[in-house]
Amino acid sequence: MIALLIAAPLLGAAVLLVGGRRLDAVGHWIGTLLASASFVIGLVLFADLLGREAEQRTVVQHLFSWIPVAGFQADVAFRLDQLSMTFVLLITGVGSLIHVYSIGYMEHDERRRRFFGYLNLFLAAMLLLVLADNYLLLYFGWEGVGLASYLLIGFWQHKPSAATAAKKAFLVNRVGDMGLSIAIMLMFLTFGSFAFEPVLSQVGDTSEGRLTAIGLMLLLAACGKSAQVPLQSWLGDAMEGPTPVSALIHAATMVTAGVYLIVRSGAIFNAAPDAQLAVTVVGAVTLLFGAVVGCAKDDIKKALAASTMSQIGYMMLAAGLGPLGYVFAIMHLVTHGFFKAGLFLGAGSVMHGMNDEVDMRKYGGLRRYMPVTFVTFGLGYLAIIGFPGLSGFFSKDKIIEAAFAKGGTEGWILGGVALLGAAVTAFYMTRVMLMTFFGEERWRDRAEASGQAAATPHESPGVMTIPMIVLAVGSVFGGAFFSIGDRFLHWLEPVTGHSEGHPPVGAWAVTAATVVCLLIGVAVAWAQYGRRPVPAVAPRGSLLTRAARRDLFQDDFNHVVLVRGGEHLTRSLVYVDHTLVDGVVNGAAASVGGLSGRMRRLQNGFARSYAVSMFGGAALLVAATLLMRAV
């Protein structure tokens, strides 16, 4: 039954990508039906798990031995437990809604059938990743997600920017993937296996140094997939793909894979404090990095992409807290899946009604023309900034509490960073909301000023707005539903474990501080963008603003350190090759050639020359003999 979860979208991908143009008229329905079928199967398996005792909620399905050789066994086996079940429902549920939305969004695209084939392939790869019972099979799904994301980001390959963005995402993720491959090799050398059960159960018998090395390699892999510092540069450029791709990659699937990897490998990080600290630092740095970048973006999708980077940073920070934060990392991951998917689909709806315009400076006043989009996007906005009562409030507040509960100076630093991130999140998301839906209707005047035909804003069709409404409901009620009776904590605790922490200032004080930070961020954004007209061209701004527009120079850094560094390294190697290696080889050849040329002169064919040589040699022998006798 577990295998059917993957088989359904995989079948859809095969049929749609191989079936040809004869399926163009129905391909989108086939893809959506099979994605939804996977979700229904997930619900059936979820009901089965609920009927079991907490200790018996791990189901392993062994299909066949993949690579059986002496001393090396790789199986195709699936593990369904509380953690993987949570991801299954999120991936298939949100993924199915995105399929439905795509029916309307991609209606006029000539390659719509292929697009749905890629979507199905993406779901199948992501499900394989979270259902695998060993790290090698997980790696297979990990690479499948990378391939599918490359195909989806670069789907509009006629645009050079899309092709470049797909290549960039693919190459940056390959760096992270090297970390996962090295970690798997180290696991096999250390534990003699890469299956979850034997690896995680033997952690206590392994040296801390070896576990730290494995943990750091797993973190490198997570940084690539989840767009965390220093491998975050691909995320903003990935917006070149169709908007449903942005929702699928940035909300419920690819960028959450790194968080899943860290939490699934929790036993390794619990026994390797240095690696665990590195996870926390990466999360804390990234949540501020993404938030600052989001403040300066005028492209609505790139602003949301920076937001994703920041929110995944919150999850990584929580995962780095160990048993204090594992559950809350996954809880925020699920609530984020609701509101961020809704926000991206809302952005796509705005673009649909604005002739694919993405510049928020050319929006304004759209709430009157797109009421459903305005309400659903607004609820997602309130959820992500942590408005009291909505889903983001419950999950983010728990992470901030857990950060303070870490204790000592580290706890105060992490908690302070998380609070600062909450304030900046409220600022840049309020900025997006105000520039898009409020204020004067800038789209008409600015189109005329540029000599272009003004767009006619209109609401999206029902096939696009219904998924947005469903996600908005999850954005409102998801967090409260999970928090009642700590049901989400009790659901995941058998797999992730949990350790109670007590913030030094009290949970109520943390909540109050979070709300105050939220209000400050909203007030500053309102003062800057709600009470003043939005200029057609962004002002030059401060040094930090200019840096944020350039993504805090992340691409510049990569170009200087990696691209130019690689060029200098290559030139140095070429110089060494030409001067040293070729010099030795060519010098040896020249020496042999010169010696042979001089020896050849002795072989001239003249008898008198040979006679002289023989006489000279005989004379030398006689002289040597006489000398030896004299001595």
Side-chain angles (χ1 to χ4, degrees):
M1 188 71 171
I2 301 175
L4 293 178
L5 285 167
I6 303 171
L10 189 60
L11 174 63
V15 170
L16 295 176
L17 296 177
V18 178
R21 295 188 177 276
R22 66 178 69 91
L23 297 177
D24 283 354
V26 295
H28 50 288
W29 294 112
I30 294 174
T32 303
L33 178 63
L34 289 172
S36 302
S38 185
F39 177 59
V40 172
I41 295 170
L43 290 175
V44 172
L45 291 171
F46 177 58
D48 177 65
L49 287 189
L50 286 178
R52 300 167 180 251
E53 296 295 329
E55 314 78 52
Q56 300 176 342
R57 287 176 176 168
T58 298
V59 180
V60 177
Q61 180 183 7
H62 180 276
L63 291 188
F64 57 89
S65 293
W66 180 17
I67 310 175
V69 294
F72 184 88
Q73 179 83 20
D75 296 328
V76 173
F78 304 124
R79 169 180 291 264
L80 188 67
D81 56 19
Q82 293 93 322
L83 180 59
S84 55
M85 186 76 254
T86 301
F87 276 84
V88 164
L89 293 178
L90 180 65
I91 293 166
T92 58
V94 175
S96 297
L97 291 173
I98 293 172
H99 275 71
V100 173
Y101 178 93
S102 300
I103 293 174
Y105 191 87
M106 303 294 290
E107 181 179 4
H108 303 294
D109 196 290
E110 296 178 354
R111 301 169 65 236
R112 180 166 63 166
R113 169 188 53 82
R114 184 175 294 273
F115 180 77
F116 276 82
Y118 292 159
L119 287 183
N120 274 199
L121 178 63
F122 195 104
L123 286 189
M126 191 67 197
L127 287 170
L128 177 61
L129 190 159
V130 299
L131 287 169
D133 187 46
N134 61 73
Y135 284 98
L136 189 60
L137 190 59
L138 181 151
Y139 185 78
F140 193 78
W142 191 273
E143 292 300 316
V145 168
L147 170 63
S149 66
Y150 169 78
L151 296 172
L152 287 168
I153 294 170
F155 182 75
W156 287 329
Q157 54 195 249
H158 59 277
K159 297 168 53 180
S161 56
T164 301
K167 182 173 67 174
K168 183 177 182 180
F170 190 82
L171 292 176
V172 172
N173 273 274
R174 296 294 72 74
V175 177
D177 294 351
M178 284 297 296
L180 182 55
S181 62
I182 294 172
I184 293 173
M185 296 176 197
L186 289 175
M187 288 176 190
F188 188 76
L189 290 175
T190 304
F191 306 108
S193 174
F194 33 70
F196 292 151
E197 198 66 40
V199 168
L200 300 180
S201 63
Q202 297 181 62
V203 164
D205 302 325
T206 309
S207 69
E208 184 177 315
R210 179 61 64 89
L211 293 175
T212 298
I214 294 174
L216 291 176
M217 289 299 99
L218 292 174
L219 174 59
L220 179 62
C223 286
K225 275 291 183 287
S226 293
Q228 300 292 283
V229 172
L231 300 179
Q232 79 288 0
S233 62
W234 65 271
L235 195 68
D237 292 345
M239 297 299 97
E240 292 293 335
T243 300
V245 175
S246 304
L248 188 65
I249 290 178
H250 292 72
T253 52
M254 181 171 172
V255 294
T256 64
V259 181
Y260 170 80
L261 181 66
I262 299 296
V263 174
R264 175 62 80 183
S265 308
I268 294 175
F269 288 94
N270 293 341
D274 292 339
Q276 195 171 64
L277 177 61
V279 175
T280 310
V281 171
V282 165
V285 170
T286 308
L287 80 86
L288 288 181
F289 188 104
V292 171
V293 170
C295 293
K297 293 297 181 182
D298 292 331
D299 184 319
I300 187 171
K301 288 175 65 178
K302 290 191 175 183
L304 294 178
S307 169
T308 296
M309 189 191 308
S310 179
Q311 297 304 307
I312 300 293
Y314 270 106
M315 301 171 206
M316 293 291 284
L317 186 154
L321 298 174
L324 274 174
Y326 288 143
V327 173
F328 304 133
I330 302 301
M331 182 176 173
H332 193 55
L333 185 151
V334 175
T335 59
H336 178 265
F338 287 123
F339 58 69
K340 183 52 65 66
L343 288 169
F344 268 113
L345 296 188
S349 180
V350 170
M351 293 168 57
H352 183 268
M354 291 292 293
N355 294 343
D356 291 328
E357 179 61 66
V358 296
D359 188 351
M360 294 184 292
R361 294 184 180 275
K362 298 178 181 178
Y363 291 164
L366 293 181
R367 69 185 187 280
R368 292 184 287 272
Y369 302 90
M370 312 179 72
V372 177
T373 300
F374 166 64
V375 172
T376 55
F377 192 97
L379 291 173
Y381 151 73
L382 292 174
I384 193 174
I385 68 173
F387 189 84
L390 276 71
S391 61
F393 168 78
F394 292 98
S395 56
K396 190 185 295 184
D397 190 68
K398 289 294 186 182
I399 293 177
I400 297 174
E401 288 181 20
F404 278 109
K406 182 71 174 178
T409 304
E410 182 182 343
W412 282 100
I413 293 174
L414 295 176
V417 168
L419 281 176
L420 178 59
V424 182
T425 300
F427 171 81
Y428 70 74
M429 285 306 304
T430 303
R431 173 179 180 269
V432 170
M433 196 72 188
L434 293 173
M435 292 179 69
T436 303
F437 295 103
F438 292 89
E440 60 183 357
E441 298 175 0
R442 302 181 299 277
W443 41 273
R444 183 182 296 110
D445 295 338
R446 290 178 186 178
E448 294 175 355
S450 60
Q452 301 175 347
T456 306
H458 58 277
E459 189 57 270
S460 299
V463 73
M464 293 172 63
T465 57
I466 289 174
M468 292 159 56
I469 293 171
V470 175
L471 290 169
V473 172
S475 300
V476 174
F477 299 108
F481 177 78
F482 294 146
S483 298
I484 294 175
D486 289 332
R487 61 179 55 169
F488 197 76
L489 190 155
H490 296 318
W491 165 255
L492 282 182
E493 191 173 11
V495 179
T496 63
H498 180 65
S499 175
E500 287 293 337
H502 302 284
V505 292
W508 63 268
V510 173
T511 300
T514 303
V515 173
V516 169
C517 289
L518 180 158
L519 294 175
I520 291 174
V522 171
V524 174
W526 171 256
Q528 187 168 349
Y529 296 95
R531 300 180 59 185
R532 304 176 185 174
V534 176
V537 179
R540 190 165 183 267
S542 65
L543 176 62
L544 179 60
T545 300
R546 298 196 299 273
R549 289 188 189 127
R550 293 177 62 89
D551 298 330
L552 296 182
F553 305 113
Q554 55 184 321
D555 284 331
D556 302 87
F557 175 83
N558 291 341
H559 185 76
V560 171
V561 175
L562 300 179
V563 177
R564 288 187 179 176
E567 290 175 351
H568 290 309
L569 176 62
T570 302
R571 290 169 184 166
S572 300
L573 293 175
V574 169
Y575 176 78
V576 170
D577 180 64
H578 285 173
T579 57
L580 182 61
V581 178
D582 287 355
V584 171
V585 174
N586 295 336
S591 299
V592 172
L595 179 62
S596 63
R598 288 173 174 78
M599 294 292 293
R600 188 171 61 247
R601 293 175 183 175
L602 301 177
Q603 305 296 323
N604 53 21
F606 293 114
R608 60 180 179 271
S609 298
Y610 298 154
V612 171
S613 299
M614 294 173 62
F615 178 78
L620 288 174
L621 289 174
V622 171
T625 302
L626 294 175
L627 181 62
M628 291 178 64
R629 287 183 176 180
V631 173

